[in-house]
Structures are given as C-alpha cells and as structure tokens.
Amino acid sequence: MNDGDQSTNLLEAIGGAPPAESANIVEVTDIHKFFGHNEVLKGVSMTVKQREVVVVCGPSGSGKTTFIRCVNHLEKIQSGSVKVNGHLIGYREENGKLVSDKERNIAHQRREIGMVFQRFNLFPHKTALGNIIEAPIQVRGTSEDEAIEMGRKLLARVGLAHKEDAYPAQLSGGQQQRVAIARALAMRPAVMLFDEPTSALDPEMIGEVLEVMKELAREGMTMIVVSHEMGFAREVADRVVMMDEGLIIEEGTPEVFFTNPQQERTKSFLSKIL
Amino acid sequence: MLVVLALTVAGCSSTKSTYHYQWNLFFQSIFSPDGQILGGLWLTVIISIIAQVIGVILGVFAALGKMSKVLPIRWFANIYIWFFRGTPLVVQLMFFFFGLSVAKIYTWPDLTLGPLTIDGPIQAGIFALGLNEGAYMAEIVRAGILAVDPGQMEAARALGMTPGKAMRRIVLPQAARVIIPPLGNEFNNMLKTTSLLFVLSVVELYETFNIKQGQFFAPFEFFLAAAVWYLLLTTIWGVIQSWIERRLARGTPGAQAAGPSLTARLIGLRNNSGNQAR
Ligand SMILES: Nc1ncnc2c1ncn2[C@@H]1O[C@H](COP(=O)(O)OP(=O)(O)OP(=O)(O)O)[C@@H](O)[C@H]1O
Ligand SMILES: [Mg+2]
C-alpha cells in the first residue's frame, strides 16, 4: 500500500495523515465478549500496523460486527484489551489491573477511531456538510470556518461538492455512505473501521463507495473493513481475516488467502461468496 | 357545548323562562372587553406559557432520569411522575399553596421583578401546574427519544461525543419532531387547565368571569362569554400549532406526513391526548 507518490486527495483535505503515536495502530489482545451467556467473541487478537488495510470476512453471526464494535468500545468486552494508537480503549490500567473508564474518557479515545456503519447512520436533521462539521466543532473544538472549509474539501473529494446543502433523505444510499465516510474522516482518525459499508446498497452504488475506500487505502489510511467484497480485498487489502464462531480461524495476504486457503471452513465460505 | 346551547334554547321556547337575558353583557364581554377581562386573559396566557415551559424542561429531565443507568435517579424520576400523575391537580394546587404556607414551610411571598409583582398564589399555581405538566411531558419526551433510531446515538458516540452531548445535539432534536405534536395538545389543555387556579383565587380568565357573573347575576351570559374566549385562545393556538407542524415537516425531509388537519385537531384531539382527567 505504500505508493508514496499517490495523490493524497482525501487525507490532504484533513491536513495530512493523522500522527501515529505507535507502530501498531490497533492492538486487540485476546478479547472475549458475551451477550448474556452467549460467548460471541472467544478470544480474538489482531494487530494492525500503520497504513495497513485488513479485510475481515466470515459467515453471518460469526461476530464480525461485534468485533469491530469492540474496537471503539461501542460494545464492552469481558476480558482482553484493545489499544488504539497506543491508548487503551474503554479501560484504564490501575496497579496492573484494568478498570472501566469514564464515559468522558472513552469519548475522548473514540476521536481517534473513525467508524462507518452498514446503514450510514447520518444525522437526518443536518445537511451533508452539517453532518461532517458537527463532530469537529462539537468534539475537537475546531472553529466553524475551519470546519466548513475542511468539510467542503472532503465533500469535493468524495464527489459530492454539489450536495453540501442536501439532507440525507435527499441523497442516494451511495451518496449517503460517501458523506458518512467524509464525516468519519473529518475527525482525523488514526484508523477507520468499516462494518459492511456496501451491503445495504443497491448494486449500482457499491462501486462509488468502494472507489472512495480504495482511494483512502492507497493514501495510507489504516483500515479494518468487514466486507465480502472480494474484489476490494484483492485490490487493497494487506491481509484478509476469516472469522467463524467468534474466532479468527485463518488469515493471510489476499493472494494466499484466496488461492490457497488452509481451513475447510474458509474454503467452503469462499466457494459460497466468490 | 352546542348541545347545552340547543337544550337551553329549546327549554326557553317551551316553558316560560323567568331568566332575564342580558345579551348586552355577553356581547360587551366579547367585543369590548374591559380591563378586567383583558387582564384575566393575559394572566391565563402568561401562566400557561410559563407553566408549559417549566413542564417541558422538567419533562426532558424526568424522561432522561427514567432512562438513566443510575438506579436512584430512575427511582426519583419514577416517583415524581407517579405522584403527579396519580393525584388531582386541585390537590396539588391546594397542597403547594395552602399546605406549604400554613405549615410555614414556604409562605410564597410576593415576587417583584422590576415593575412587575407576582403574588404568591400565582407563583404557587405556576409551580404546581409546571410540576404536574412535567410528569405528563416526561412520557411524551421519552416516547420521542425512543422513536429515534439507536444508530443515531451510536454514530454520535463513535464520533467522540459524550452521551450528554450526543443526546443534546443529535437525539433530542430528532425526538422533537415526535414530541411537538403532542406538546401542542398539552398546551391546548394547559390553556384550559389554568382555570383551576380559581381555587387559589387567582383572577385569571375563568375567575374574572366568575366574579362578573356574581356581580350581575348573569351566569348564562358570562360563562358563555368565558367559553367563547377560551375557544378563541385554543383556536388561535390550533392555527399556530398547524403552522409549526407544517414547517417542521418541511424543514426535515423524510419526516412523516404532517399531523391531523386543523379541523380534525380542533374537533377530535381530546380523544388521543389521553390525559384530560387531571
Ligand atoms: N446486542 C446483542 N445482543 C445479543 N446478542 C447479540 C447482539 N449483537 C449480536 N449478537 C449475537 O452475536 C453473534 C454475532 O453477531 P454479529 O452481529 O457480530 O455477527 P456478524 O458476523 O456481524 O454477522 P452478519 O454477517 O450477519 O452481520 C450473533 O449470534 C448475534 O445473534
Ligand atoms: Mg455484521
């Protein structure tokens, strides 16, 4: 992914790549997650280096969404730890023990983690531009002028300069998802998480969203992408990870993963989606 | 009301009535109201507005309290709502004014704000009406918040907003769309409910006419005139409410179709406002 000279369109709009404070942007260590008695994540670990793009796939119910939500602590974990850019997420270390952090601190930590949802979750009462500038102004304390300038640049870079005053309901799914990506980027995150960003879209709109994501990957954004878009994975992923029943059962470079999977379950899964 | 009118008219024509109608008193009260009537009208409107504002604010807090993760806060909110929805407003009014003042817990001294002096009964009345209204608003606000897609809260939090900020900036503005139509109905009720303040001898619109009918012994004319004034208030409010709702539906595309029409609202709204028995 390190095409140093590639145009830095999207990241340029937010003032360049966000500073990395740690070589491993994401460090997930042996996390366990229960919903009631149902253990949904059974000890998942993952390390993502700066500029790395990891694609996560796996059958429905295998815990992909839950995993990605644990990374920014939208779900509490019962054991293990998550570090993003060197900081523990959701927990503090006190005398060698992990204790739950305050909401305010967790909110602070989430500024480093961009998230794009399957169903966009744009704010319907705000325009496209309003969606993008909301968090920089409210959370980062960016001045309104500065936020608007950045917001307009971002909108232009995702091909929606002409839609800044449109409300989400006036945009197509593909356009909404591009605004959602711009909204997450506006916080200058160290990592971007995507949970099946194209699976709620009509087929003809998938391409435009994937294009933006590929561009982002080429520019060196660190990304974890839950997706079954194998073309995307082949093109930009450094690693593909297979989850099944709450565990990572296989991972590898796209070449190896797609051409020579080791696990039976991976083979049968791939045969279904390819 | 029309039924009563029809019955009265029918009654008059069949039997020789001894009641001497003074229609001039009625028409005067409507077309050239004196200072007392205008004063009562003003007091009704201003008390309604202040009590409703207090009610909305308390309602938001009570709704948030009810949904809080902290158990004692939930208890507190539930007890508040339970008490004010479970007791008659008259009892609340009497308790907060006479109860507190006679027991010397709080004697409701006059409050002077610049040129304006608000006497104790009015303060107590606003206080009780506001608290009472807050308990009803709590359910309305809660329903509004629950109607907002939970994904909105998540998206806001994923962007680094604290839960409080996400609630204020993202969830409540969207809940407002759901809250405003029933809030309008609440205010319609409030305009009429203020008449109960007569128990504290607050001379608002109803009590003004009550005093007048006693002076002239013309209950028919004056209470009819009072009804007309209340109708005027609620009708004007109905028009404003429709206008607000139409604007609201326009400002945010994707909103569900505007609420009931003005006529439907004026005629049919008490059926679904659900809390007329206070
Ligand atoms: N909030 C919740 N409460 C209870 N169980 C849940 C909750 N969210 C997810 N689960 C359960 O956890 C398991 C993993 O769900 P998850 O959504 O992470 O799977 P997924 O891999 O993202 O599936 P899909 O491909 O369908 O999106 C499922 O069995 C699901 O039923
Ligand atoms: Mg999922």
Side-chain angles (χ1 to χ4, degrees), chain A residues 25-42:
Chain A
I25 298 292
V26 178
E27 245 181 272
V28 176
T29 314
D30 193 30
I31 57 173
H32 292 254
K33 167 74 195 172
F34 291 83
F35 284 113
H37 292 295
N38 182 14
E39 186 171 20
V40 173
L41 298 179
K42 302 171 180 166

Side-chain angles (χ1 to χ4, degrees), chain A residues 86-125:
Chain A
H87 309 295
L88 275 173
I89 303 296
Y91 297 85
R92 266 171 305 141
E93 221 167 337
E94 265 175 24
N95 335 319
K97 283 173 91 184
L98 293 185
V99 291
S100 252
D101 218 336
K102 288 199 284 284
E103 285 289 352
R104 176 164 294 279
N105 292 342
I106 298 171
H108 195 87
Q109 293 152 1
R110 288 200 185 104
R111 312 199 302 187
E112 311 233 280
I113 311 169
M115 182 146 190
V116 175
F117 298 85
Q118 190 169 4
R119 307 212 58 90
F120 333 133
N121 295 6
L122 288 181
F123 306 135
H125 59 307

Side-chain angles (χ1 to χ4, degrees), chain A residues 56-76:
Chain A
V56 179
C57 61
S60 181
S62 56
K64 308 178 298 291
T65 297
T66 308
F67 167 73
I68 213 164
R69 287 164 59 87
C70 285
V71 174
N72 70 352
H73 206 69
L74 281 179
E75 299 288 358
K76 266 195 161 61

Side-chain angles (χ1 to χ4, degrees), chain A residues 134-194:
Chain A
E134 175 71 13
I137 294 173
Q138 292 297 323
V139 178
R140 284 226 186 263
T142 310
S143 76
E144 192 166 329
D145 290 343
E146 217 177 305
I148 288 174
E149 194 191 321
M150 175 176 65
R152 290 207 169 116
K153 271 191 197 161
L154 277 169
L155 273 177
R157 305 293 154 84
V158 298
L160 293 170
H162 56 299
K163 292 289 189 187
E164 75 170 59
D165 292 325
Y167 285 91
Q170 297 165 321
L171 298 172
S172 73
Q175 291 171 330
Q176 288 188 60
Q177 194 62 299
R178 283 184 280 156
V179 173
I181 294 172
R183 175 177 74 173
L185 281 175
M187 285 299 285
R188 306 192 64 211
V191 58
M192 288 278 284
L193 311 176
F194 295 82

